[in-house]
Amino acid sequence: MKIGTPTEILDGEARVAMTPDSAVQLQKLGYECLIQSGAGAKADFADADYEAAGVTVVKTAKALWQEADIIAKVRVPTTEELNRLDADKTLISFFNPGGNEEGLELARSKGASVIAMEMVPRISRAQKMDA
């Protein structure tokens, strides 16, 4: 199973959903990790940092979305990003399901699974999933 993180495309967003350290932890659980080239740059993670952690650096967003089974990102996905989903993909992201009816319907029409991070309960057991 491949987890991929694309570059955040909204202006001013410097966060990245996967760090080299988190990728190492995911790989210990048996996942293969992918990152779009430059995705960590604004958070001061170079592609070489990811490669040193065993992460495959993918050149384009299109290639990353095609290759990954699970897409992890920070911001609400754009329509262009949602159009890259299919029934075999899971998106983990802030999603605003209550105020993003168009995005929710588009993801549903693609048959994709979406985990909206803001909907994860804020209880002690779920703190490791806290965004």
Side-chain angles (χ1 to χ4, degrees):
M1 177 101 21
K2 297 178 183 179
I3 300 176
T5 297
T7 300
E8 294 294 331
I9 58 177
L10 294 178
D11 288 338
E13 183 56 72
R15 296 174 293 176
V16 61
M18 181 187 300
T19 67
D21 287 341
S22 67
V24 168
Q25 298 306 313
L26 291 167
Q27 290 170 81
K28 286 179 183 177
L29 296 172
Y31 295 99
E32 184 178 337
C33 295
L34 313 170
I35 190 127
Q36 182 181 343
S37 182
K42 292 179 184 173
D44 292 328
F45 298 115
D47 288 350
D49 298 330
Y50 287 100
E51 289 171 337
V55 178
T56 301
V57 177
V58 180
K59 286 188 178 186
T60 66
K62 181 179 178 181
L64 181 118
W65 284 78
Q66 285 177 339
E67 194 171 338
D69 303 299
I70 300 170
I71 307 294
K73 59 185 278 53
V74 177
R75 298 292 292 266
V76 173
T78 64
T79 301
E80 179 183 355
E81 290 172 319
L82 289 171
N83 277 320
R84 293 182 172 143
L85 290 173
D86 61 42
D88 296 327
K89 302 219 181 288
T90 297
L91 172 67
I92 302 171
S93 176
F94 283 98
F95 198 82
N96 186 23
N100 186 7
E101 188 174 329
E102 181 181 329
L104 195 60
E105 186 53 42
L106 183 52
R108 182 181 301 129
S109 73
K110 298 284 188 175
S113 297
V114 176
I115 298 172
M117 288 303 298
E118 66 271 44
M119 300 304 289
V120 174
R122 299 300 187 238
I123 60 174
S124 295
R125 289 187 321 213
Q127 281 185 344
K128 62 185 168 190
M129 294 177 59
D130 198 9

